[in-house]
Structure formats: C-alpha cells, structure tokens
Amino acid sequence: AALFSLLERVQSGDVSVSDAAGELRDLPYQDLGYARLDHHRPIRTGWPEVVFGEGKTPEQIAGIVHAMAGRGFPVLVTRASVRAFEAVKQLLPAAEFHREARCIVAPDGSGGAAKMAGALVMTAGTADAPVAEEAALTATLMGCDVTRINDVGVAGLHRLLDQRDRLEEARVIVVAAGMEGALASVVSGLVSAPVIAVPTSIGYGASFDGIAALLGMMNACAPGVAVVNIDNGFGAGYLAAQILHMPARGEVAEDHVGGE
C-alpha cells in the first residue's frame, strides 16, 4: 500500500522523482549494524517485518522501531519488556504497551481503517490469555475485527456449547490451549471455519512446557486444524488475518492496477 501510494504521488506530480528515490533508499533493507531491517517485505507479503523482542536490548529495540516507524504501517514488537517500551517511548511518544500480550505497538497514525469481521480468538483457560492476546493484537493490527471467548476448556464442556452462535459466525478461529490441548479438536468438530491451534506452555510436569498440547493438537481427530508453535500467538494471529483477507485480495489488486 505504501509503495502504490508513493508511485501515485509521483505520477500526480505531488512528489518528485528525486524525493521518491530518497524514500526508497532503504530498499531492500536497512543496515543498522546490529540488525538488517527488511523494508522490502510489505511489497512482497503485504505486511512489514515484526520485531521479536526477546533477546534484544531495550536500546536495540528502540532503534529498530524508530527506523521502521513512519512507513505506512504500525510497528509491532512481540515478547517485549517494560524497559524496552520505556526506551521506545523516549523516541516515539505515541508508542503503546499492551501488557497482557507483552507487545509494543508504534501506531502508523492513519486513524484506523474499517476492520474485517470474522476472526475469533479463544482460550481454554485464563492462563492461556497472554498467548491469545498476542494473537488477537496481531490480527487486529492486520485489519481484523477480533472477537474473544475466554475460559471455555473441555473440563466444562457446557461453557463452550453456550457459545455455539458465536462459533458459527466466525470465519477463522484461533484456539489457545495448554494441558492436553483438546479444545482445538472439539471446536473443529463444531464449525466449518478453519481452526488455528496454539499450544501453550501451561500445565503440570507431564505437559512438558506445551509439548503435550502440541502433540495432542497435531493428532487432532477432527479435520481443519492447523497447528503453530508453542506459545506462538503472533504466528496464529498472522495466519488468521491472512486467511480472513484472502477473498479481498483480488479486489485490492484490481484497485491498484486500475490507477484511480
């Protein structure tokens, strides 16, 4: 979207060729010394690089976010600490910290376009909420209107069955569950929408920090379940947004090619 906008501004005469070349100077990537930022990624995939905060210093995260901001997309940092957020906020005062999702967001200042409905994020238990919130935030930033259903694990199946209407309205469902991870199979057996299962590292010793849930989800007896890595809420939210936006892609491409 940013590239199409730039080309249209050049065509209309609002931006000179030399200024446009300046805006494109960091393609295909920008070398910060400690990181090479893939500014070309939105052109290839439709969405910019997302920053994995774990293992990076607050100063590195702040530098990366500052270099990525102002390019037509919000900047998302996952697995972020409060210290990292404080460092980012010094450079970008509009940055937000989503504590439960453990994410930093630097808004793009667009005011927010209309969101596409149909994404549902649900948890088996309250302890799965941080992973689910990471998924929900990711999908929201990628243009989805996300509905949440919390604490409907299979130990109390009546809680899930009370949500049948909301399940049937969804076009894609993210299920975050630890322990044995059974909720994804049950949900997939109730709906026609694709289910993205996220095993979480919640459970006692034999859950092996999410491996039991991962294996349970991969052995789901109900079809239509795709499984992401343990605690990978970001990956689940990203995939959910991709699925939800697929029917609109042809229309978007035609709008750009049409020129007006």
Side-chain angles (χ1 to χ4, degrees), residues 170-224:
R171 292 175 54 203
V172 60
I173 300 174
V174 174
V175 176
M179 303 292 186
E180 81 287 13
L183 182 60
S185 292
V186 176
V187 170
S188 187
L190 295 173
V191 300
S192 61
V195 173
I196 303 168
V198 192
T200 68
S201 54
I202 299 300
Y204 290 105
S207 69
F208 295 108
D209 293 325
I211 293 177
L214 172 66
L215 295 177
M217 289 170 168
M218 293 183 69
N219 284 285
C221 59

Short mmCIF file of all heavy atoms in Angstrom, two decimals, residues 170-224:
data_model
loop_
_atom_site.label_atom_id
_atom_site.label_comp_id
_atom_site.label_asym_id
_atom_site.label_seq_id
_atom_site.Cartn_x
_atom_site.Cartn_y
_atom_site.Cartn_z
N ALA A 170 -18.01 -17.24 13.08
CA ALA A 170 -16.60 -17.00 12.79
C ALA A 170 -16.19 -17.57 11.44
O ALA A 170 -16.68 -18.62 11.01
CB ALA A 170 -15.73 -17.59 13.89
N ARG A 171 -15.26 -16.88 10.78
CA ARG A 171 -14.69 -17.36 9.52
C ARG A 171 -13.32 -17.98 9.71
O ARG A 171 -12.83 -18.72 8.87
CB ARG A 171 -14.62 -16.21 8.52
CG ARG A 171 -16.00 -15.73 8.08
CD ARG A 171 -15.90 -14.51 7.18
NE ARG A 171 -15.00 -14.76 6.05
CZ ARG A 171 -14.38 -13.80 5.38
NH1 ARG A 171 -14.54 -12.53 5.75
NH2 ARG A 171 -13.59 -14.09 4.37
N VAL A 172 -12.67 -17.66 10.81
CA VAL A 172 -11.42 -18.30 11.19
C VAL A 172 -11.31 -18.22 12.71
O VAL A 172 -11.68 -17.21 13.31
CB VAL A 172 -10.20 -17.64 10.50
CG1 VAL A 172 -10.09 -16.17 10.87
CG2 VAL A 172 -8.92 -18.38 10.84
N ILE A 173 -10.83 -19.30 13.33
CA ILE A 173 -10.81 -19.39 14.80
C ILE A 173 -9.41 -19.75 15.27
O ILE A 173 -8.80 -20.70 14.77
CB ILE A 173 -11.81 -20.45 15.31
CG1 ILE A 173 -13.24 -20.08 14.88
CG2 ILE A 173 -11.73 -20.56 16.84
CD1 ILE A 173 -14.26 -21.15 15.22
N VAL A 174 -8.89 -18.98 16.23
CA VAL A 174 -7.63 -19.29 16.90
C VAL A 174 -7.97 -19.86 18.27
O VAL A 174 -8.71 -19.24 19.04
CB VAL A 174 -6.75 -18.03 17.05
CG1 VAL A 174 -5.51 -18.34 17.88
CG2 VAL A 174 -6.36 -17.49 15.68
N VAL A 175 -7.42 -21.03 18.57
CA VAL A 175 -7.67 -21.68 19.85
C VAL A 175 -6.35 -21.81 20.60
O VAL A 175 -5.42 -22.50 20.14
CB VAL A 175 -8.28 -23.09 19.66
CG1 VAL A 175 -8.43 -23.78 21.01
CG2 VAL A 175 -9.63 -22.98 18.97
N ALA A 176 -6.23 -21.15 21.75
CA ALA A 176 -5.04 -21.24 22.59
C ALA A 176 -5.35 -22.14 23.78
O ALA A 176 -6.28 -21.86 24.54
CB ALA A 176 -4.61 -19.86 23.07
N ALA A 177 -4.58 -23.21 23.92
CA ALA A 177 -4.86 -24.18 24.98
C ALA A 177 -3.59 -24.86 25.43
O ALA A 177 -2.73 -25.20 24.61
CB ALA A 177 -5.88 -25.21 24.51
N GLY A 178 -3.47 -25.06 26.74
CA GLY A 178 -2.36 -25.82 27.30
C GLY A 178 -2.84 -27.19 27.74
O GLY A 178 -3.72 -27.78 27.10
N MET A 179 -2.25 -27.70 28.83
CA MET A 179 -2.60 -29.03 29.33
C MET A 179 -2.52 -30.07 28.21
O MET A 179 -1.47 -30.24 27.61
CB MET A 179 -4.00 -29.01 29.98
CG MET A 179 -4.16 -28.02 31.11
SD MET A 179 -3.18 -28.48 32.56
CE MET A 179 -3.73 -27.25 33.74
N GLU A 180 -3.64 -30.70 27.87
CA GLU A 180 -3.64 -31.72 26.81
C GLU A 180 -4.03 -31.15 25.45
O GLU A 180 -3.99 -31.84 24.43
CB GLU A 180 -4.57 -32.90 27.17
CG GLU A 180 -6.04 -32.68 26.90
CD GLU A 180 -6.73 -31.72 27.87
OE1 GLU A 180 -6.05 -31.01 28.64
OE2 GLU A 180 -7.97 -31.70 27.87
N GLY A 181 -4.44 -29.87 25.40
CA GLY A 181 -4.72 -29.21 24.13
C GLY A 181 -5.94 -29.71 23.40
O GLY A 181 -6.05 -29.54 22.17
N ALA A 182 -6.91 -30.29 24.10
CA ALA A 182 -8.04 -30.93 23.44
C ALA A 182 -9.05 -29.97 22.84
O ALA A 182 -9.83 -30.35 21.95
CB ALA A 182 -8.76 -31.86 24.43
N LEU A 183 -9.05 -28.72 23.30
CA LEU A 183 -10.09 -27.79 22.87
C LEU A 183 -10.12 -27.60 21.35
O LEU A 183 -11.19 -27.46 20.76
CB LEU A 183 -9.90 -26.43 23.56
CG LEU A 183 -10.95 -25.35 23.24
CD1 LEU A 183 -12.34 -25.81 23.65
CD2 LEU A 183 -10.59 -24.04 23.92
N ALA A 184 -8.96 -27.58 20.71
CA ALA A 184 -8.91 -27.36 19.26
C ALA A 184 -9.68 -28.43 18.50
O ALA A 184 -10.42 -28.13 17.56
CB ALA A 184 -7.46 -27.31 18.78
N SER A 185 -9.54 -29.68 18.90
CA SER A 185 -10.28 -30.77 18.23
C SER A 185 -11.78 -30.61 18.42
O SER A 185 -12.55 -30.80 17.47
CB SER A 185 -9.84 -32.13 18.79
OG SER A 185 -8.52 -32.44 18.43
N VAL A 186 -12.19 -30.27 19.62
CA VAL A 186 -13.61 -30.13 19.90
C VAL A 186 -14.21 -28.99 19.07
O VAL A 186 -15.26 -29.14 18.45
CB VAL A 186 -13.85 -29.88 21.41
CG1 VAL A 186 -15.33 -29.63 21.68
CG2 VAL A 186 -13.36 -31.07 22.22
N VAL A 187 -13.51 -27.86 19.03
CA VAL A 187 -14.01 -26.71 18.28
C VAL A 187 -14.10 -27.05 16.80
O VAL A 187 -15.10 -26.75 16.13
CB VAL A 187 -13.11 -25.48 18.50
CG1 VAL A 187 -13.47 -24.36 17.54
CG2 VAL A 187 -13.24 -25.00 19.94
N SER A 188 -13.08 -27.68 16.26
CA SER A 188 -13.08 -28.01 14.83
C SER A 188 -14.22 -28.94 14.46
O SER A 188 -14.73 -28.90 13.34
CB SER A 188 -11.74 -28.62 14.43
OG SER A 188 -11.66 -28.79 13.04
N GLY A 189 -14.63 -29.78 15.40
CA GLY A 189 -15.75 -30.69 15.15
C GLY A 189 -17.11 -30.00 15.18
O GLY A 189 -18.11 -30.62 14.82
N LEU A 190 -17.14 -28.73 15.58
CA LEU A 190 -18.40 -28.00 15.71
C LEU A 190 -18.62 -26.97 14.60
O LEU A 190 -19.74 -26.49 14.42
CB LEU A 190 -18.46 -27.27 17.06
CG LEU A 190 -18.49 -28.13 18.31
CD1 LEU A 190 -18.37 -27.24 19.56
CD2 LEU A 190 -19.76 -28.95 18.38
N VAL A 191 -17.55 -26.60 13.87
CA VAL A 191 -17.65 -25.47 12.95
C VAL A 191 -17.13 -25.83 11.56
O VAL A 191 -16.41 -26.82 11.38
CB VAL A 191 -16.85 -24.26 13.49
CG1 VAL A 191 -17.38 -23.81 14.84
CG2 VAL A 191 -15.36 -24.58 13.57
N SER A 192 -17.46 -24.98 10.58
CA SER A 192 -16.93 -25.14 9.23
C SER A 192 -15.69 -24.29 8.99
O SER A 192 -14.99 -24.46 7.99
CB SER A 192 -18.00 -24.77 8.20
OG SER A 192 -18.39 -23.42 8.35
N ALA A 193 -15.41 -23.34 9.88
CA ALA A 193 -14.27 -22.44 9.72
C ALA A 193 -12.96 -23.16 10.02
O ALA A 193 -12.93 -24.10 10.83
CB ALA A 193 -14.42 -21.24 10.66
N PRO A 194 -11.85 -22.74 9.39
CA PRO A 194 -10.55 -23.30 9.75
C PRO A 194 -10.17 -22.92 11.18
O PRO A 194 -10.50 -21.82 11.65
CB PRO A 194 -9.59 -22.66 8.74
CG PRO A 194 -10.28 -21.42 8.27
CD PRO A 194 -11.75 -21.72 8.33
N VAL A 195 -9.50 -23.84 11.87
CA VAL A 195 -9.08 -23.63 13.25
C VAL A 195 -7.56 -23.61 13.30
O VAL A 195 -6.90 -24.53 12.80
CB VAL A 195 -9.63 -24.74 14.17
CG1 VAL A 195 -9.03 -24.62 15.57
CG2 VAL A 195 -11.15 -24.67 14.23
N ILE A 196 -7.02 -22.56 13.90
CA ILE A 196 -5.57 -22.45 14.11
C ILE A 196 -5.32 -22.72 15.58
O ILE A 196 -5.75 -21.96 16.45
CB ILE A 196 -5.06 -21.07 13.72
CG1 ILE A 196 -5.42 -20.76 12.25
CG2 ILE A 196 -3.55 -20.98 13.92
CD1 ILE A 196 -5.20 -19.31 11.87
N ALA A 197 -4.63 -23.82 15.87
CA ALA A 197 -4.41 -24.25 17.24
C ALA A 197 -3.06 -23.75 17.74
O ALA A 197 -2.04 -23.90 17.06
CB ALA A 197 -4.47 -25.76 17.33
N VAL A 198 -3.07 -23.16 18.93
CA VAL A 198 -1.84 -22.66 19.55
C VAL A 198 -1.62 -23.40 20.86
O VAL A 198 -2.31 -23.12 21.85
CB VAL A 198 -1.90 -21.14 19.85
CG1 VAL A 198 -0.51 -20.62 20.21
CG2 VAL A 198 -2.48 -20.38 18.68
N PRO A 199 -0.69 -24.33 20.92
CA PRO A 199 -0.39 -24.97 22.20
C PRO A 199 0.34 -23.99 23.12
O PRO A 199 1.22 -23.26 22.66
CB PRO A 199 0.53 -26.14 21.81
CG PRO A 199 1.15 -25.72 20.52
CD PRO A 199 0.16 -24.84 19.83
N THR A 200 -0.07 -23.93 24.36
CA THR A 200 0.60 -23.04 25.30
C THR A 200 1.38 -23.85 26.33
O THR A 200 1.09 -25.02 26.58
CB THR A 200 -0.41 -22.12 26.03
OG1 THR A 200 -1.21 -22.91 26.90
CG2 THR A 200 -1.29 -21.39 25.03
N SER A 201 2.37 -23.21 26.93
CA SER A 201 3.23 -23.91 27.89
C SER A 201 2.62 -23.89 29.28
O SER A 201 3.31 -23.67 30.28
CB SER A 201 4.61 -23.25 27.90
OG SER A 201 4.50 -21.85 28.14
N ILE A 202 1.32 -24.15 29.36
CA ILE A 202 0.58 -24.16 30.62
C ILE A 202 0.26 -25.59 31.00
O ILE A 202 -0.27 -26.36 30.19
CB ILE A 202 -0.73 -23.35 30.49
CG1 ILE A 202 -0.43 -21.88 30.12
CG2 ILE A 202 -1.56 -23.43 31.77
CD1 ILE A 202 0.42 -21.16 31.14
N GLY A 203 0.59 -25.96 32.24
CA GLY A 203 0.26 -27.30 32.70
C GLY A 203 1.30 -27.81 33.68
O GLY A 203 2.35 -27.21 33.87
N TYR A 204 0.99 -28.93 34.28
CA TYR A 204 1.91 -29.56 35.23
C TYR A 204 3.03 -30.29 34.49
O TYR A 204 3.09 -30.28 33.26
CB TYR A 204 1.14 -30.49 36.16
CG TYR A 204 0.23 -29.74 37.12
CD1 TYR A 204 -1.14 -29.71 36.91
CD2 TYR A 204 0.75 -29.06 38.21
CE1 TYR A 204 -1.98 -29.03 37.78
CE2 TYR A 204 -0.07 -28.37 39.09
CZ TYR A 204 -1.45 -28.35 38.87
OH TYR A 204 -2.27 -27.67 39.71
N GLY A 205 3.89 -30.95 35.24
CA GLY A 205 5.14 -31.50 34.71
C GLY A 205 5.04 -32.32 33.44
O GLY A 205 5.82 -32.14 32.50
N ALA A 206 4.06 -33.22 33.36
CA ALA A 206 3.96 -34.08 32.19
C ALA A 206 3.47 -33.37 30.94
O ALA A 206 3.44 -33.96 29.86
CB ALA A 206 3.04 -35.27 32.49
N SER A 207 3.12 -32.10 31.08
CA SER A 207 2.77 -31.33 29.88
C SER A 207 4.03 -30.89 29.13
O SER A 207 3.95 -30.47 27.98
CB SER A 207 1.95 -30.08 30.25
OG SER A 207 2.76 -29.15 30.95
N PHE A 208 5.19 -31.02 29.80
CA PHE A 208 6.49 -30.72 29.19
C PHE A 208 6.49 -29.35 28.50
O PHE A 208 6.90 -29.22 27.35
CB PHE A 208 6.88 -31.81 28.20
CG PHE A 208 7.12 -33.14 28.85
CD1 PHE A 208 6.21 -34.17 28.68
CD2 PHE A 208 8.24 -33.37 29.64
CE1 PHE A 208 6.40 -35.40 29.29
CE2 PHE A 208 8.45 -34.61 30.24
CZ PHE A 208 7.52 -35.62 30.08
N ASP A 209 6.03 -28.34 29.24
CA ASP A 209 6.05 -26.95 28.75
C ASP A 209 5.37 -26.78 27.40
O ASP A 209 5.82 -25.99 26.56
CB ASP A 209 7.48 -26.43 28.68
CG ASP A 209 8.12 -26.27 30.05
OD1 ASP A 209 7.39 -25.92 31.00
OD2 ASP A 209 9.33 -26.50 30.18
N GLY A 210 4.28 -27.49 27.19
CA GLY A 210 3.50 -27.31 25.98
C GLY A 210 3.65 -28.41 24.94
O GLY A 210 2.90 -28.45 23.97
N ILE A 211 4.61 -29.31 25.13
CA ILE A 211 4.82 -30.37 24.14
C ILE A 211 3.62 -31.32 24.11
O ILE A 211 3.20 -31.78 23.03
CB ILE A 211 6.12 -31.14 24.42
CG1 ILE A 211 7.32 -30.21 24.19
CG2 ILE A 211 6.23 -32.37 23.53
CD1 ILE A 211 8.66 -30.83 24.51
N ALA A 212 3.04 -31.61 25.27
CA ALA A 212 1.87 -32.49 25.29
C ALA A 212 0.71 -31.87 24.50
O ALA A 212 0.05 -32.56 23.71
CB ALA A 212 1.44 -32.76 26.74
N ALA A 213 0.48 -30.58 24.70
CA ALA A 213 -0.58 -29.89 23.95
C ALA A 213 -0.26 -29.85 22.46
O ALA A 213 -1.14 -30.04 21.61
CB ALA A 213 -0.78 -28.48 24.49
N LEU A 214 1.00 -29.61 22.13
CA LEU A 214 1.42 -29.59 20.73
C LEU A 214 1.14 -30.93 20.05
O LEU A 214 0.55 -30.98 18.97
CB LEU A 214 2.91 -29.25 20.65
CG LEU A 214 3.57 -29.36 19.27
CD1 LEU A 214 3.01 -28.32 18.31
CD2 LEU A 214 5.09 -29.22 19.38
N LEU A 215 1.54 -32.01 20.70
CA LEU A 215 1.32 -33.33 20.10
C LEU A 215 -0.16 -33.67 20.03
O LEU A 215 -0.63 -34.26 19.05
CB LEU A 215 2.08 -34.40 20.91
CG LEU A 215 3.61 -34.28 20.89
CD1 LEU A 215 4.23 -35.35 21.78
CD2 LEU A 215 4.14 -34.41 19.47
N GLY A 216 -0.91 -33.28 21.07
CA GLY A 216 -2.35 -33.52 21.05
C GLY A 216 -3.03 -32.79 19.90
O GLY A 216 -3.89 -33.35 19.21
N MET A 217 -2.64 -31.54 19.67
CA MET A 217 -3.24 -30.76 18.59
C MET A 217 -2.84 -31.31 17.22
O MET A 217 -3.63 -31.33 16.28
CB MET A 217 -2.83 -29.29 18.72
CG MET A 217 -3.50 -28.59 19.90
SD MET A 217 -2.79 -26.95 20.21
CE MET A 217 -4.00 -26.27 21.37
N MET A 218 -1.60 -31.76 17.09
CA MET A 218 -1.15 -32.32 15.82
C MET A 218 -1.81 -33.67 15.52
O MET A 218 -1.89 -34.09 14.36
CB MET A 218 0.37 -32.46 15.81
CG MET A 218 1.11 -31.14 15.82
SD MET A 218 2.91 -31.29 15.72
CE MET A 218 3.09 -31.90 14.04
N ASN A 219 -2.30 -34.32 16.55
CA ASN A 219 -3.01 -35.59 16.39
C ASN A 219 -4.52 -35.42 16.48
O ASN A 219 -5.23 -36.37 16.78
CB ASN A 219 -2.53 -36.58 17.46
CG ASN A 219 -1.18 -37.16 17.15
OD1 ASN A 219 -1.05 -38.01 16.28
ND2 ASN A 219 -0.15 -36.69 17.83
N ALA A 220 -5.00 -34.20 16.20
CA ALA A 220 -6.43 -33.92 16.29
C ALA A 220 -7.22 -34.88 15.42
O ALA A 220 -6.87 -35.12 14.26
CB ALA A 220 -6.71 -32.48 15.87
N CYS A 221 -8.29 -35.43 15.99
CA CYS A 221 -9.13 -36.36 15.23
C CYS A 221 -10.09 -35.63 14.30
O CYS A 221 -10.64 -36.22 13.37
CB CYS A 221 -9.91 -37.27 16.17
SG CYS A 221 -10.98 -36.40 17.32
N ALA A 222 -10.31 -34.32 14.52
CA ALA A 222 -11.19 -33.53 13.67
C ALA A 222 -10.36 -32.85 12.58
O ALA A 222 -9.30 -32.30 12.87
CB ALA A 222 -11.94 -32.49 14.49
N PRO A 223 -10.82 -32.87 11.33
CA PRO A 223 -10.07 -32.19 10.27
C PRO A 223 -10.23 -30.67 10.36
O PRO A 223 -11.11 -30.18 11.06
CB PRO A 223 -10.71 -32.72 8.99
CG PRO A 223 -12.13 -33.04 9.40
CD PRO A 223 -12.04 -33.52 10.82
N GLY A 224 -9.38 -29.95 9.65
CA GLY A 224 -9.49 -28.50 9.61
C GLY A 224 -8.70 -27.78 10.67
O GLY A 224 -8.93 -26.59 10.92
#
